[in-house]
Amino acid sequence: MEYTTLGDTGTTVSRLCFGTWRFGKESDGTVETDREEARELLDTAWDNGINFIDTANVYGDPNGTSEEWIGEWLADRNIHREDVVIASKVYFPFDGRGEPGPNDSGLGRKHIRAQIEGTLERLGTDYLDLYYIHRWDENTPIRETMRTLTELVREGKVHYLGASSMAAWKLTKALWTSDVEGLERFDVTQPMFNAADTDDVGNYLEVCADQDIAVCPYSPLAGGFLTGKYERGEDGSVIAPDGSRGTLTDLFEDRYTSETAWEVLEAVKSVADQVDATPAQVSLRWLMEQDQFTCVPIVGARTPDQLEENIGAVEFELSDDQFDRIDAARNADADGYR
């Protein structure tokens, strides 16, 4: 495993982060990753050197299941708390106590305070290494949110703060508020960013590069599209293997399979043939080798074999030509973001 410093923090993490959003998640009545499967995946991640685990208070059915299973695994494996880096999140309505009440969502002080206590209890820990706001809260002043998060840092319940998806100007506003008010600021972001998705995230990533903020992208394989297991039908439709993401959600085709995405996939496959790797490994490596900010992809494999394949992305490097070929397929601008 390779390791890197997480942006401008003093914490060292594996070059891949293991994401647990499928733990206990029900899709059409089917649990995507059950308790036993979750344990096997965590074992595989840990035994291969991944020390960075990502979860959220709302992962699982009911909410909190993912955190609870991680906490049980940490205790059963007797892993020293200082050896693992754990990230969780807050914002969305939380149903872990039953039907969410009027204060069971958002980024107000009351909700954040309640959720951090539940998260720590389920994980069986005294602190989080990283606490993300899962989304921007239009109804709560960002000053209140940052003050509350700062209190958690100063109390030792949280080490660093992170922000997930939002507009670039909102991220900038939050950073400005922290600087002006003398509050803790965001050190890590978690946008959706991958080679196939050419939605405009350039402005957001430019802020991260300028402010030395680490980027931990979710969906780094475009929902599995960049594994190369999908085929294009003669009518332009997506032909997906049974049980794949493309068969589990109606959003897959609209979200990931643009004309540009197919061109990117061809470039990724070409590079994979050259370096004797899989398309998934090349796609992850392309993210890891972003040179304007620290990039640690969050991988959410469904099986230990898939996870071990993902981990193989640390075993090779891309040449400048190979990296640029994927960028060119994305119609990348001068900054290389797209």
Side-chain angles (χ1 to χ4, degrees):
M1 178 53 62
E2 297 176 2
Y3 296 89
T4 186
T5 302
L6 190 61
D8 199 30
T9 76
T11 295
T12 299
V13 297
S14 47
R15 292 300 303 273
L16 292 171
C17 176
F18 180 56
T20 63
W21 72 276
R22 285 196 182 96
F23 285 13
K25 175 181 172 60
E26 291 189 10
S27 297
D28 298 326
T30 300
V31 177
E32 293 197 26
T33 299
D34 63 26
R35 189 189 299 263
E36 182 177 348
E37 292 167 335
R39 184 175 293 268
E40 291 177 354
L41 286 164
L42 287 166
D43 283 341
T44 301
W46 183 254
D47 292 342
N48 281 278
I50 291 180
N51 73 338
F52 192 8
I53 299 173
D54 180 87
T55 186
N57 62 333
V58 294
Y59 289 172
D61 298 301
N63 295 164
T65 298
S66 175
E67 293 176 329
E68 182 179 332
W69 289 358
I70 293 168
E72 292 174 352
W73 172 78
L74 288 169
D76 291 346
R77 283 290 303 255
N78 196 28
I79 293 172
H80 196 288
R81 179 64 183 88
E82 295 308 308
D83 292 335
V84 63
V85 178
I86 303 175
S88 193
K89 310 177 187 73
V90 63
Y91 169 76
F92 287 111
F94 180 80
D95 70 6
R97 298 186 295 109
E99 188 69 21
N103 288 302
D104 280 337
S105 64
L107 298 175
R109 178 173 279 105
K110 186 174 180 64
H111 183 59
I112 291 175
R113 280 288 185 178
Q115 290 306 307
I116 188 63
E117 295 302 332
T119 285
L120 295 178
E121 180 178 358
R122 288 186 291 273
L123 287 167
T125 182
D126 295 328
Y127 70 93
L128 283 179
D129 296 279
L130 176 59
Y131 203 28
Y132 289 100
I133 61 168
H134 215 155
R135 290 294 186 273
W136 182 270
D137 186 351
E138 299 287 355
N139 298 315
T140 302
I142 189 61
R143 181 180 290 105
E144 175 178 335
T145 298
M146 300 312 299
R147 281 178 175 170
T148 305
L149 294 173
T150 296
E151 291 167 3
L152 298 184
V153 173
R154 294 175 181 173
E155 292 167 9
K157 294 181 178 180
V158 172
H159 283 172
Y160 302 110
L161 306 179
S164 191
S165 300
M166 65 181 66
W169 71 264
K170 294 178 179 178
L171 175 59
T172 303
K173 180 178 180 179
L175 295 171
W176 177 85
T177 300
S178 293
D179 291 345
V180 170
E181 299 283 341
L183 304 172
E184 297 292 327
R185 70 199 320 259
F186 294 128
D187 288 302
V188 186
T189 60
Q190 191 178 127
M192 186 172 78
F193 176 42
N194 58 64
D197 186 358
T198 54
D199 284 346
D200 191 3
V201 294
N203 290 338
Y204 187 91
L205 296 176
E206 285 176 0
V207 175
C208 295
D210 179 73
Q211 297 293 306
D212 200 10
I213 297 174
V215 177
C216 295
Y218 71 92
S219 196
L221 298 177
F225 176 76
L226 287 171
T227 63
K229 64 186 177 183
Y230 297 93
E231 298 180 2
R232 196 175 194 181
E234 293 183 0
D235 61 354
S237 62
V238 179
I239 302 174
D242 290 341
S244 64
R245 185 80 59 81
T247 64
L248 292 176
T249 172
D250 295 334
L251 295 176
F252 180 88
E253 192 165 345
D254 292 336
R255 189 172 195 179
Y256 296 118
T257 58
S258 66
E259 186 68 31
T260 299
W262 287 110
E263 294 177 8
V264 169
L265 181 58
E266 287 305 310
V268 166
K269 287 180 175 179
S270 174
V271 171
D273 288 341
Q274 286 186 332
V275 299
D276 192 25
T278 67
Q281 291 168 340
V282 169
S283 300
L284 291 171
R285 192 72 205 186
W286 179 83
L287 287 168
M288 293 160 61
E289 292 189 8
Q290 297 292 317
D291 62 2
Q292 299 189 50
F293 46 79
T294 304
C295 189
V296 181
I298 300 173
V299 293
R302 299 176 67 186
T303 68
D305 286 345
Q306 288 178 353
L307 182 54
E308 288 183 345
E309 177 190 351
N310 292 167
I311 292 168
V314 305
E315 297 176 357
F316 64 95
E317 296 181 354
L318 300 179
S319 68
D320 290 343
D321 175 72
Q322 291 164 342
F323 186 94
D324 293 344
R325 197 184 316 163
I326 296 171
D327 257 3
R330 304 178 76 245
N331 297 317
D333 60 21
D335 292 323
Y337 296 135
R338 62 167 295 185

